Amino acid sequence: MFVVATAGHVDHGKSTLVRALTGTDPDRLAEERRRGLTLDLGYAWCTLPTGEHVAFVDVPGHQRFIGTMLAGLGPAPVVMFVVAADEGWCRQSDEHLAAVDALGVQHGLLVVTRSDRADPDPAAHEALERLGASSLGVVEAVAVSGRTGAGMDELRAALSRTLTTMPPPVVDAPVRFWIDRSFSVDGAGTVVTGTLGAGTITSGDVLTLRDRQLTVREIRSSGSTVTSVGPVSRVALNLRPVAAADIGRGDVLLSSDRFALTSELDVRLDARQRLPTDLVLHVGTAAVAVRVRPLGAGADPVTARLTLARALPVRAGDRAVLRDPGRQSVAAGVLVLDADPPALTRRGAARARAETLRTAVIPPDAVVEVARRGAVPRSHLDRLGIDTAELDDIGGWLVDPDRRSDWIARAPAVVAQWTQRYPLDPGMPETAFLQALDAPRALLPSLLAGTGLQAADGRVCPTGSPGGLGAVEQALSTLLERLDTAPFDAPQHDELHALGLGRRELAAAVRTGRLIQVADGVVLRPDAVGRATRVLRALDAPFTLSSARQALGTTRRVAVPLLEHLDALGVTQRISDVARRVVVDSQ
């Protein structure tokens, strides 16, 4: 099947033309028939004499309904542009062509209607010139009369020729089905319609709507029930479980986990003048408020960052339209360059980003996208529609070789700096290590390979450190074992130096509560106060420094500062120049 959308000024005979081609009136609403004016999207289909099945999406031509027109035109790959012979090119002809051009539609034909009322050649000549300057380029022109039927056979033949120039659709692509209508059918439930531009939908498929999983109960296309439908087709889907009121135009059904939702886009614009900040973005059948932030200054082509009011499954290469709702007019065409753009946080970042986007290519280069991020899950780029098939991954992650080399080169220094700052830690916590490198956790094993480092018990330390313990921790353990046997035999400076415990290491041990320091260079176990209290309480009170030193089994170098430390804590009390007593128990 092929899908063709109409375009053209109001009351130039678009609906009449579709009715003459298909035998079906695309104006579904009673109000449309009463007023003779298309208010909403209309649908009809036929089979051409050459065998092509064609579905038509008839759009309203009035300026007030340009948003509705864009919803019908957006997903359609072919346009039938209509101009009346007796009126020629009109204001809405310009608006509709601006929309066609903004969307980059490249396939279509010109139909000059009401050729029984006036010579069609002048209207055709002007219209062909205007269409030729748009994305449509050179197209066929056919003059017809809906009243007499003149030219209808020529139109069918021209349609057939136009459709044979279409590129083959991608049947195995993930489904992104933009909905243009929803309604409820008695006994069946909710039905939605739309144009399937790529991929295949089969009865029983589960598709994602926002955060919901919906099952396709039945499929209809061209008035028939089918078990499966491929592109390009007009499709009606019976869905469950969802109410018709909860789904409608602008919603999109997606293959599960195959698209990323984005609320920021970097785009190239075809605007010919400075744009307002607040506009409406039309993509697929959706219309979403956006804020426009120009990037750079005087860049040609113009680039901008669009911030969407709600996230949409947009990909690089998508075409869209910016509409000015105040003027009810097309403001600019949009080509999406990046659906996952980097944050603009530094001074000059916007200008630099504009320079980068000037050379952006469609489709995006996977190698460039990986290099920009350093490392990225393959699944993330796949959801953005970026082809990663030629790239090798590490545990599902795509890694830039230069970034990985930098991480590996910096890793030993990062751990060494941590060890110098926290000498008693048995290693650098994995989280801190990865944050310092700005690397993902999933890549930790590959980052340590060849660096002389290992991961043990949630920490990164030099390879071969037993149990993940560093040299300082081992020295401290040796000291604590010695003091456990002789709790008041504080080691001399040269002994501490031999263990590798200098001022910095001892200060860290005191700071973390592993030791207490009663004087410069005099360190004891943290339970030394409790042990000393119990020994001194057993002495006859009051006791002297000499009796305390002997009871504690230590030297004057340790006993003097230890007793002064106990005095300061309020455990002991001086009662004369030479005597003390224990006044408070300490555990």
Side-chain angles (χ1 to χ4, degrees), residues 281-350:
L281 179 73
H282 291 263
V283 56
T285 61
V288 178
V290 297
R291 291 187 65 82
V292 181
R293 177 183 179 179
L295 301 173
D300 183 23
V302 177
T303 55
R305 171 72 55 88
L306 304 183
T307 302
L308 284 61
R310 66 181 174 95
L312 294 174
V314 180
R315 290 180 165 181
D318 283 346
R319 300 298 301 244
V321 175
L322 283 173
R323 180 174 64 90
D324 187 337
R327 297 185 177 183
Q328 296 184 348
S329 63
V330 172
V334 169
L335 173 63
V336 178
L337 300 177
D338 193 339
D340 182 34
L344 302 175
T345 55
R346 298 182 180 179
R347 185 179 181 86

Side-chain angles (χ1 to χ4, degrees), residues 213-301:
Q213 301 294 305
L214 304 180
T215 300
V216 178
R217 297 179 62 185
E218 185 180 55
I219 304 170
R220 289 183 65 82
S221 184
S222 299
S224 301
T225 299
V226 295
T227 58
S228 184
V229 64
V232 174
S233 303
R234 283 295 303 173
V235 181
L237 303 177
N238 180 204
L239 301 173
R240 66 177 181 186
V242 62
D246 295 334
I247 187 171
R249 181 173 298 165
D251 283 325
V252 56
L253 295 171
L254 305 170
S255 293
S256 297
D257 203 33
R258 296 296 302 275
F259 287 87
L261 298 180
T262 178
S263 56
E264 283 194 324
L265 304 171
D266 280 352
V267 303
R268 183 175 296 146
L269 305 173
D270 67 2
R272 297 171 180 82
Q273 57 189 0
R274 187 172 183 85
L275 296 176
T277 300
D278 297 302
L279 293 171
V280 175
L281 179 73
H282 291 263
V283 56
T285 61
V288 178
V290 297
R291 291 187 65 82
V292 181
R293 177 183 179 179
L295 301 173
D300 183 23

Side-chain angles (χ1 to χ4, degrees), residues 32-55:
E32 291 178 313
R33 296 190 180 99
R34 185 183 68 80
R35 297 173 60 182
L37 177 69
T38 299
L39 306 176
D40 202 350
L41 300 179
Y43 314 95
W45 58 87
C46 70
T47 300
L48 297 178
T50 47
E52 294 90 354
H53 297 285
V54 185

Side-chain angles (χ1 to χ4, degrees), residues 16-31:
T16 299
L17 189 61
V18 171
R19 188 183 309 115
L21 284 168
T22 66
T24 300
D25 189 348
D27 288 339
R28 300 172 288 107
L29 307 178
E31 180 69 7

